[in-house]
């Protein structure tokens, strides 16, 4: 966990009282909704279909139990008893009342949580691997660097009015769990030949209307230079980014139009001016941040405790363990993923009761820490293996032990037409129907790793382009139509999916997905060949044939 200092606490508190005044002026009519818009967006407040929506940041996805309890409290006291975890380590509340928003923010500020820069054209929450600090084999804890960038960019005047929103993600593992290639800047921690820490820097990734996979702009930037290098990229973007056309304003369009070579030359030139300035980071600064991250006092535990050996006889426990429990860097411990995808429910939602109960379980079994991942699931990062059976039983009672992590019902979905004013189609009901169709665990297990991602419009909040099966809702002649892509992925081999053919109606989506899955089961060379590998090997054609032969 990271310990915030006095500067951070003051900043967050001042922000709350400033916003309280702004809300007061809106409620009295002194500010019009239009005048208020800029101010509310700076504090994570959107105006949606039915109500205001409030987006709260969870920096690098790390939560202390008192913070999770504060989120539960906000859900219970100011909303309708639940919150929605998103794909960017945020949580959204859909039914917040404007008059109560300052109180909600104040309650969160007491535990060091805020909503700064969760919307607007600025640097958004810097995201990272939800297994940071505990994943075996990582270069070092990527949150140290996320935190450095967070401190540098929070309320930084130069980044407050960018051409468009700006997102940075960091990973330190070979397997990318932070989806860095679909971010404006993606950073991959590496070591050079001298053993020094640095970054491969990628730029220009993003989804939305015009999706791009990020390109490498520099193979190695030393850790001490990372702020100046990021700043050089942002300066070039700030200068040349299109402010005249919202659809062309993201850095991915600039990189695409200039070409990565020309773009990187511009950045290099800018960087040479600023790299030896005060932006160069002293080792002490990094050491100070590093020292503020505390790690649990792990015990010396056996690799295979008796409790785990005995529980292995229970097939239900084993089904859950196989996809929810991952190796930890410390022997005798595990990382446990908590599925927020129960069959038939909206993906990513958690009730106040679940959040409170999960906080209790994290205190009991995970040194008081919870993580939030980009796939809309949570994790307990430090669970002793001997506690796994007891934890599983407790999670099951809370409907938080669905054994579907990474399986076909572990669906990412945006709120779509149920909440979102920009939506063209529903997302949540599609996800619900698909989870019912594939509720049979044996079948889901037979299919293996398969991610379905759903968005209700081209903004791509549900990451549909990078779903192994991607579903995009569009509107055609007043009707919801769904375009289906296959072959996308968001990991270290990130790729955009390919369209399989004409869009299909709401009622047909689940049938089409079933057809695709059946085709895959028939086409795979062996049971271990994953869906995405079969698609890579054979392309879209055989799937297209199967889906449209009878339509
Ligand atoms: C309901 C309120 C929401 C609104 C109004 C909204 C709006 C938008 C818009 C306009 C974009 C496109 C930005 C661009 O291309 O420049 C976008 C992108 C995105 N949103 Fe949302 N969003 C909402 C909720 C969510 C939720 C719930 C999630 C997660 C489940 C999410 C995750 C994302 C992500 C990951 C992108 C990335 C697209 C990219 O890489 O370019 N948003 N959102
Ligand atoms: S993808 Fe579209 S419908 Fe879905 S949340 Fe984003 S803006 Fe709304």
């Amino acid at each position: 966990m990271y310990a915030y200092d006095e500067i951070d606490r003051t900043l967050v508190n001042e922000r709350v009282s400033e916003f309280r005044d702004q809300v007061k002026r809106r409620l009295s009519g002194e500010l019009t909704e239009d005048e208020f818009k800029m101010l509310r967006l700076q504090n994570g407040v959107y105006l949606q279909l039915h109500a205001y929506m409030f987006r709260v940041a969870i920096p690098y996805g790390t939560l202390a139990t008192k913070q999770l309890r504060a989120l539960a409290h906000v859900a219970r006291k100011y909303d309708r008893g639940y919150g929605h975890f998103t794909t960017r380590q945020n949580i959204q509340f859909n039914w917040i009342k404007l008059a109560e928003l300052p109180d909600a923010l104040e309650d969160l500020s007491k535990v060091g949580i805020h909503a700064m820069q969760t919307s607007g054209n600025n640097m958004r929450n810097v995201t990272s691997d939800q297994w940071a600090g505990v994943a075996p084999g990582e270069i070092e804890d990527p949150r140290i660097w996320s935190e450095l960038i967070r401190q540098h960019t929070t309320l930084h005047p130069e980044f407050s009015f960018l051409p468009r929103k700006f997102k940075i993600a960091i990973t330190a593992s070979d397997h990318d769990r932070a989806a860095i290639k679909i971010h404006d800047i993606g950073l991959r921690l590496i070591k050079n030949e001298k053993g020094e820490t640095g970054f491969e820097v990628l730029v220009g990734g993003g989804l939305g209307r015009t999706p791009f996979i990020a390109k490498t702009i520099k193979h190695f930037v030393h850790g001490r230079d990372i702020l100046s290098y990021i700043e050089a990229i942002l300066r070039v973007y700030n200068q040349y980014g299109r402010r005249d056309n919202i659809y062309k304003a993201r850095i991915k369009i600039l990189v695409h139009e200039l070409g990565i070579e020309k773009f990187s030359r511009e950045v290099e030139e800018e960087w040479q001016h600023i790299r030896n300035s005060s932006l160069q980071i002293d080792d002490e600064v990094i050491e100070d941040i590093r020292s503020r991250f505390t790690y649990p006092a792990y015990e010396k535990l056996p690799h295979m405790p008796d409790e785990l050996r005995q529980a292995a006889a229970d097939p239900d426990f084993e089904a859950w363990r196989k996809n929810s429990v991952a190796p930890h860097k410390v022997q005798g411990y595990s990382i446990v993923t908590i599925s927020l995808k129960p069959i038939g429910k909206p993906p990513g939602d958690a009730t106040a009761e679940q959040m409170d109960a999960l906080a209790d379980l994290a205190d009991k079994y995970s040194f008081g820490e919870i993580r939030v991942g980009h796939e809309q699931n949570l994790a307990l990062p430090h669970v002793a293996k001997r506690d796994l059976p007891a934890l599983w039983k407790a999670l099951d009672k809370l409907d938080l032990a669905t054994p579907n992590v990474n399986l076909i019902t572990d669906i990412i979905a945006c709120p779509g037409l149920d909440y979102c004013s920009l939506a063209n189609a529903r997302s949540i009901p599609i996800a619900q129907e698909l989870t019912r169709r594939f509720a049979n665990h044996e079948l889901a297990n037979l299919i293996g790793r398969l991610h379905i991602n759903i968005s209700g419009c081209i903004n791509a909040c549900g990451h549909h382009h990078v779903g192994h099966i991607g579903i995009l809702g569009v509107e055609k002649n007043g009707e919801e139509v769904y375009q289906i892509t296959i072959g996308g992925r968001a990991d270290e081999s990130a790729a955009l999916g390919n369209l399989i053919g004409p869009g299909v109606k709401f009622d047909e989506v689940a049938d089409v997905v079933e057809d695709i899955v059946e085709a895959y089961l028939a086409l795979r060379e062996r049971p271990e060949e994953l869906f995405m590998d079969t698609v890579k090997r054979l392309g879209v054609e055989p799937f297209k044939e199967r889906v449209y032969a009878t339509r």
Side-chain angles (χ1 to χ4, degrees):
M1 294 299 302
Y2 184 78
Y4 284 106
D5 62 13
E6 206 42 48
I7 300 173
D8 259 302
R9 283 194 287 273
T10 309
L11 187 79
V12 171
N13 292 339
E14 284 177 355
R15 192 70 177 186
V16 175
S17 60
E18 186 185 55
F19 191 53
R20 189 178 288 286
D21 182 57
Q22 292 163 350
V23 168
K24 201 165 111 200
R25 288 191 283 143
R26 171 70 194 112
L27 290 171
S28 73
E30 197 182 325
L31 292 174
T32 63
E33 185 55 42
D34 223 32
E35 287 165 334
F36 181 58
K37 184 175 175 185
M38 258 307 264
L39 305 171
R40 66 170 161 76
L41 283 180
Q42 306 267 354
N43 288 283
V45 183
Y46 286 78
L47 186 53
Q48 285 303 300
L49 271 185
H50 317 288
Y52 284 100
M53 183 274 280
F54 177 41
R55 184 183 288 158
V56 176
I58 301 167
Y60 32 81
T62 301
L63 276 174
T65 44
K66 65 176 179 186
Q67 294 175 318
L68 186 58
R69 287 192 185 97
L71 294 172
H73 159 79
V74 167
R76 186 177 291 118
K77 183 160 181 200
Y78 305 106
D79 207 281
R80 293 191 178 174
Y82 65 97
H84 179 73
F85 287 94
T86 79
T87 43
R88 285 207 27 83
Q89 296 179 328
N90 295 316
I91 182 169
Q92 296 187 174
F93 296 101
N94 287 303
W95 300 98
I96 210 96
K97 289 182 204 69
L98 185 58
E100 294 180 349
L101 248 170
D103 291 340
L105 262 182
E106 186 167 334
D107 292 351
L108 290 176
S109 73
K110 290 180 190 142
V111 292
I113 292 189
H114 61 79
M116 283 183 269
Q117 296 181 199
T118 55
S119 52
N121 294 334
N122 48 39
M123 184 75 80
R124 299 292 184 86
N125 189 20
V126 177
T127 55
S128 192
D129 185 349
Q130 73 269 21
W131 294 0
V134 290
E138 79 183 356
I139 302 277
E140 64 176 61
D141 192 335
R143 294 174 303 170
I144 295 162
W145 301 91
S146 317
E147 176 57 23
L148 174 78
I149 298 169
R150 190 196 71 79
Q151 288 180 11
H152 182 65
T153 56
T154 300
L155 302 186
H156 191 307
E158 197 170 340
F159 311 140
S160 294
F161 297 94
L162 293 167
R164 202 72 178 84
K165 60 175 163 184
F166 203 90
K167 301 171 176 179
I168 298 183
I170 308 183
T171 180
S173 291
D174 288 342
H175 179 51
D176 174 8
R177 280 173 294 266
I180 66 165
K181 290 190 177 175
I182 52 167
H183 282 76
D184 297 281
I185 292 180
L187 299 175
R188 195 167 72 82
L189 260 163
I190 44 178
K191 297 258 186 213
N192 67 6
E193 320 77 63
K194 290 189 213 145
E196 295 166 321
T197 301
F199 295 90
E200 179 190 0
V201 181
L202 295 95
V203 74
L207 304 176
R209 181 180 295 254
T210 323
F212 283 109
I213 298 297
K215 298 181 180 68
T216 298
I217 177 167
K218 211 162 174 68
H219 289 283
F220 188 82
V221 174
H222 199 288
R224 68 172 166 259
D225 294 323
I226 196 62
L227 286 186
S228 62
Y229 195 76
I230 289 173
E231 188 139 336
I233 294 177
L234 276 151
R235 283 187 179 190
V236 172
Y237 171 53
N238 223 346
Q239 194 178 349
Y240 297 112
R242 295 276 298 267
R243 285 186 158 82
D244 60 326
N245 182 339
I246 188 175
Y247 302 120
K248 296 192 170 175
R250 299 282 299 271
I251 196 173
K252 62 191 175 183
I253 306 290
L254 182 65
V255 172
H256 178 67
E257 286 184 353
L258 287 181
I260 187 74
E261 289 78 24
K262 183 152 170 25
F263 182 79
S264 68
R265 277 203 300 280
E266 293 275 349
V267 170
E268 196 68 28
E269 200 175 303
E270 185 64 38
W271 189 40
Q272 294 314 326
H273 293 306
I274 57 173
R275 72 181 286 192
N276 296 321
S277 65
S278 59
L279 288 173
Q280 195 172 76
I281 314 153
D282 293 337
D283 286 346
E284 298 92 83
V285 173
I286 287 297
E287 282 318 309
D288 181 53
I289 294 180
R290 198 188 303 277
S291 69
R292 285 167 175 277
F293 277 100
T294 51
Y295 299 91
Y298 297 112
E299 291 173 68
K300 232 177 150 20
L301 296 175
H303 172 64
M304 182 46 93
D306 291 342
E307 291 86 343
L308 197 53
R309 214 186 299 271
Q310 283 153 15
D314 181 340
D316 290 337
F317 172 77
E318 275 301 282
W320 172 81
R321 186 192 60 77
K322 278 196 181 123
N323 63 30
S324 301
V325 178
H328 192 283
K329 69 178 184 189
V330 178
Q331 180 185 292
Y333 288 85
S334 297
I335 307 168
V336 173
T337 301
I338 315 285
S339 168
L340 292 184
K341 321 289 176 66
I343 303 303
K345 302 268 175 63
D349 277 6
T351 65
E353 289 68 39
Q354 285 176 322
M355 289 190 248
D356 273 338
L358 199 51
D360 292 345
L361 290 176
D363 275 337
K364 197 166 173 191
Y365 296 120
S366 188
F367 298 91
E369 209 177 310
I370 300 104
R371 302 292 180 84
V372 184
H374 84 80
E375 282 152 346
Q376 297 186 289
N377 286 323
L378 303 178
L380 295 180
H382 325 278
V383 181
K385 285 183 172 178
R386 62 162 182 235
D387 295 332
L388 285 169
L391 173 65
W392 167 68
K393 280 198 185 112
L395 288 172
D396 197 31
K397 285 201 186 101
L398 299 165
D399 205 12
L400 290 171
T402 312
N404 64 349
V405 174
N406 284 323
L407 299 182
I408 192 164
T409 51
D410 185 0
I411 295 173
I412 294 177
C414 81
L417 209 47
D418 289 270
Y419 296 96
C420 178
S421 56
L422 303 175
N424 294 123
R426 287 168 288 172
S427 304
I428 293 172
I430 296 271
Q432 288 171 305
E433 174 58 19
L434 284 170
T435 59
R436 285 186 212 109
R437 285 282 175 113
F438 294 98
N440 180 327
H441 180 72
E442 270 73 56
L443 174 64
N445 212 24
L446 179 80
I447 299 164
R449 192 184 183 98
L450 204 170
H451 293 169
I452 298 181
N453 296 8
I454 311 172
S455 303
C457 82
I458 49 164
N459 285 318
C461 301
H463 286 189
H464 63 274
H465 299 107
V466 288
H468 301 164
I469 297 179
I471 301 175
L472 164 65
V474 295
E475 192 254 13
K476 220 172 163 187
N477 307 326
E479 230 186 303
E480 293 160 297
V481 172
Y482 294 83
Q483 295 178 347
I484 318 273
T485 51
I486 57 172
R489 56 197 287 180
D491 56 8
E492 60 283 0
S493 310
L496 302 172
N498 293 309
L499 206 57
I500 59 161
V504 299
K505 294 197 179 128
F506 180 87
D507 293 338
E508 294 174 305
V509 176
D511 291 342
V512 168
V513 171
E514 258 181 8
D515 286 350
I516 293 172
V517 169
E518 277 168 18
Y520 155 66
L521 291 175
L523 290 163
R524 67 181 177 189
E525 275 183 333
R526 43 184 208 290
E528 300 78 44
E529 187 177 58
L530 297 175
F531 174 76
M532 55 195 161
D533 295 325
T534 307
V535 175
K536 197 169 170 194
R537 181 167 58 80
L538 297 173
V540 169
E541 245 3 87
F543 295 93
K544 184 177 180 167
E545 258 166 47
R546 173 65 186 247
V547 168
Y548 294 98
T550 53
R551 287 198 167 75

